[in-house]
Amino acid sequence: MLLVLTCFCAISPVSAQQKNIILATTTSTQDSGLLDVLIPVFEKKTGYFIKTIAVGSGQAMAMGQKGEADVLLVHSPDAEAKFVAQGYGINRRLVMHNDYIVVGPGKDPAGIKGMKSTVAAFKKIAARKSLFMSRGDNSGTNAKEKTIWKASGIDPEKEKWYQQTGLGMGQTLNVASEKGAYTLTDRGTYLALKKMLGLDILTEGDAMLLNIYHAIEVNPAKWPKVNAAGAKAFADFMVSKEVQDIVKIFGVNKYGSPLFFPDAGKKVEGLGR
Amino acid sequence: MDLIIEGIKKAFLLFISLDPEVINITLFSLKVSGIATFISLFIGISSGTAIALLRFPGKKIIVSLVNTGMGLPPVVVGLFVTIFLWRNGPFGFLEILYTPSAMIIAQAIIATPIVMGITVAAVQQLPEKLRLQIIALGATRTQMVWMLVKEAKLPLLAAVMAGFGGVISEVGASIMVGGNIKGYTRVLTTATVMETSKGNFDIAIALSIILLAMAFLVNLVLTLVQQKRRPN
């Protein structure tokens, strides 16, 4: 085993190791195509090489906790605050937001269409025992969904109408569409998949449904192997005017509206107003 | 149905237009799985032959272990290779997680028991008398082993095909240890998974067709070699 491993060192770019940055992020930033636009710009500018590992926010933070990632781009504010408070991350900075929406079959069996309060809509889904698909994967979306259930005073975990796919957002939307179920999704992924889905937007616009992305550098004091300089360079890049301008117009051509709204330098409390 | 036809159309378009990204992903898949298969042949055939020819206590247990390994779940291999290669893991100093090298290691681990198992079966199947005859002709031990391997080369080509087929079509371990990084560790299977979750079913279908076509071509070549001297 060791012999085989040593053979491989020759092929891998060990000399460039400090040039590598491991970015742990959510599937939404990759699936929307935003990172495909931003990363080449960053690499060209700085000479760093970004390894994007697209997992859920939960797993991305787990990687950060073990020092297996250098920088995170995630959307799970409560878990992020805890992550930073525990000393795993430093320099948490607001990058951008979009919003979550509740989607479901056009027939809308629970009758939640147009409701302004997401909590009330969730209560109605529970009362009618309408099928609800949860990602159940500790992603940022899953965390948001759990927060809403908690706020509505319902514990759906053991209910029959509540099912967990254990899959990413795109696949969960497909399952919900096939089964005629409700689900919570970020708007970007929904828009990207819309033409394949038999799902309509039923609840949107609630302040509770903001989907906020932060960049966090993994604390090099905790994990000496972390590429701290690279992580800082990437986080700086994400909040730079250049990136914020790209974010502002990203997706407009394809979907008629932007997928994300740039927020660098703003306060979280002021978003969505 | 429309979707499938769209996918097939798209596959042809991607082929004809020689889309550089698709070409790169395809060649890269071939390279990773090819190297991994090559390594597995090296380890698998040598150790498989040794297991088949030597008599030692616990041989049946070893052979059963090898046979079990032929069905090694790729995600399990992926998980363990990831844990071993983590920065803060035992082989972290190599810094090869999320690189092609890590993918080759994982795939080689998946393919080796397959090659080994088929080799054991192939060599054991050779008539005992053949071995005695080779020795009687005055061959050294190395020469004898070499003759036997040559004699078993048809089933051994099946081992190549099984090993290669196993790793080129594998996705779980590749995505875990490689990370599906664009232009660096993205292979046909991981790209297919990603395009599916992006809702680009036509591209996903196109990539699948390319994958199938490639697996077929490689196997066709190997089969032609294997069947060459056989009268039908």
Side-chain angles (χ1 to χ4, degrees):
Chain A
M1 175 80 180
L2 194 63
L3 181 88
V4 177
L5 283 173
T6 19
C7 298
F8 283 123
C9 297
I11 316 174
S12 71
V14 170
S15 57
Q17 55 189 245
Q18 268 314 313
K19 284 282 161 199
N20 288 338
I21 304 170
I22 298 179
L23 164 68
T25 185
T26 77
T27 48
S28 55
T29 52
Q30 185 175 59
D31 289 357
S32 65
L34 179 65
L35 289 177
D36 286 347
V37 175
L38 296 181
I39 285 175
V41 179
F42 176 74
E43 289 178 343
K44 204 167 170 195
K45 207 167 169 171
T46 60
Y48 282 112
F49 178 70
I50 296 259
K51 295 180 176 179
T52 311
I53 309 301
V55 287
S57 286
Q59 199 186 330
M61 275 182 274
M63 284 173 70
Q65 256 176 31
K66 292 196 295 278
E68 300 300 336
D70 300 313
V71 60
L72 315 178
L73 179 62
V74 286
H75 62 137
S76 194
D78 295 341
E80 289 164 23
K82 206 171 141 198
F83 181 82
V84 174
Q86 288 171 338
Y88 294 113
I90 52 170
N91 222 350
R92 175 170 173 246
R93 282 181 277 178
L94 180 59
V95 175
M96 61 193 183
H97 79 272
N98 62 7
D99 62 345
Y100 292 109
I101 49 180
V102 181
V103 297
K107 283 181 301 185
D108 189 17
I112 62 165
K113 193 175 174 72
M115 288 179 77
K116 280 282 156 267
S117 159
T118 321
V119 168
F122 269 41
K123 279 182 179 162
K124 224 166 163 184
I125 291 171
R128 297 275 170 88
K129 297 192 187 305
S130 299
L131 195 58
F132 187 96
M133 283 295 151
S134 167
R135 280 176 61 175
D137 61 353
N138 282 334
S139 59
T141 310
N142 188 219
K144 173 62 85 177
E145 182 216 309
K146 284 182 186 161
T147 313
I148 302 172
W149 284 120
K150 211 167 176 184
S152 58
I154 296 162
D155 177 16
E157 288 281 336
K158 294 201 178 77
E159 303 289 344
K160 260 199 180 132
W161 50 266
Y162 184 81
Q163 298 181 355
Q164 301 186 339
T165 61
L167 301 169
M169 194 68 252
Q171 284 160 304
T172 301
L173 280 169
N174 281 320
V175 176
S177 172
E178 288 299 317
K179 293 198 170 195
Y182 293 93
T183 193
L184 181 77
T185 173
D186 63 288
R187 192 183 291 267
T189 309
Y190 172 76
L191 285 178
L193 297 182
K194 195 178 166 194
K195 63 176 194 298
M196 301 288 178
L197 302 171
L199 297 171
D200 293 347
I201 300 179
L202 299 173
T203 304
E204 62 182 329
D206 190 343
M208 193 178 198
L209 292 180
L210 279 181
N211 180 18
I212 303 163
Y213 290 79
H214 285 91
I216 308 175
E217 295 157 47
V218 174
N219 191 355
K222 206 133 190 158
W223 299 107
K225 287 182 184 169
V226 158
N227 182 353
K232 183 170 186 309
F234 183 75
D236 286 346
F237 172 74
M238 286 306 291
V239 299
S240 69
K241 186 172 183 306
E242 183 182 7
V243 166
Q244 297 283 309
D245 287 345
I246 296 173
V247 168
K248 196 185 278 177
I249 54 161
F250 179 75
V252 174
N253 285 341
K254 203 166 169 190
Y255 305 110
S257 62
L259 293 186
F260 300 97
F261 300 91
D263 292 325
K266 292 185 199 162
K267 290 259 182 289
V268 169
E269 297 76 33
L271 297 182
R273 280 176 205 158
Chain B
M1 199 59 210
D2 287 350
L3 198 62
I4 297 168
I5 295 165
E6 266 314 294
I8 295 170
K9 266 193 213 155
K10 189 105 188 175
F12 273 108
L13 279 178
L14 287 173
F15 257 141
I16 295 164
S17 64
L18 293 174
D19 183 281
E21 195 174 342
V22 171
I23 301 286
N24 283 339
I25 292 176
T26 308
L27 291 178
F28 181 68
S29 303
L30 259 180
K31 189 173 145 193
V32 166
S33 299
I35 297 176
T37 311
F38 191 76
I39 293 167
S40 73
L41 289 178
F42 190 73
I43 304 172
I45 292 184
S46 53
S47 57
T49 314
I51 292 171
L53 295 179
L54 295 175
R55 291 204 185 105
F56 55 91
K59 179 167 169 173
K60 281 180 185 152
I61 293 181
I62 297 287
V63 174
S64 332
L65 281 176
V66 170
N67 286 338
T68 310
M70 290 174 83
L72 212 53
V75 280
V76 174
V77 175
L79 175 66
F80 279 94
V81 172
T82 308
I83 292 172
F84 273 91
L85 293 182
W86 263 333
R87 255 184 204 162
N88 301 299
F91 293 105
F93 62 93
L94 294 172
E95 307 225 4
I96 56 170
L97 189 59
Y98 309 128
T99 66
S101 306
M103 300 172 77
I104 293 172
I105 291 172
Q107 294 196 356
I109 293 173
I110 294 166
T112 300
I114 299 176
V115 174
M116 218 193 272
I118 298 178
T119 306
V120 172
V123 174
Q124 277 186 336
Q125 209 196 5
L126 295 172
E128 182 70 21
K129 282 179 187 161
L130 179 67
R131 206 166 137 193
L132 296 174
Q133 195 178 3
I134 295 172
I135 295 173
L137 287 168
T140 64
R141 204 176 159 74
T142 327
Q143 280 171 332
M144 186 231 359
V145 171
W146 181 240
M147 297 280 291
L148 288 178
V149 169
K150 265 171 77 176
E151 204 50 44
K153 81 174 170 229
L154 297 184
L156 289 183
L157 275 168
V160 182
M161 289 184 247
F164 181 79
V167 294
I168 190 90
S169 58
E170 185 284 322
V171 60
S174 298
I175 214 160
M176 283 166 105
V177 306
N180 187 35
I181 299 163
K182 190 180 180 183
Y184 184 56
T185 58
R186 188 165 293 171
V187 288
L188 285 168
T189 50
T190 60
T192 305
V193 169
M194 189 194 64
E195 295 300 344
T196 306
S197 72
K198 279 173 149 181
N200 296 333
F201 293 102
D202 49 351
I203 301 180
I205 293 171
L207 291 171
S208 312
I209 291 171
I210 294 172
L211 178 62
L212 281 173
M214 206 175 61
F216 174 72
L217 280 177
V218 170
N219 277 299
L220 181 68
V221 171
L222 291 171
T223 310
L224 288 178
V225 174
Q226 189 191 41
Q227 304 294 328
K228 200 169 60 182
R229 283 186 307 138
R230 288 251 157 125
N232 293 321

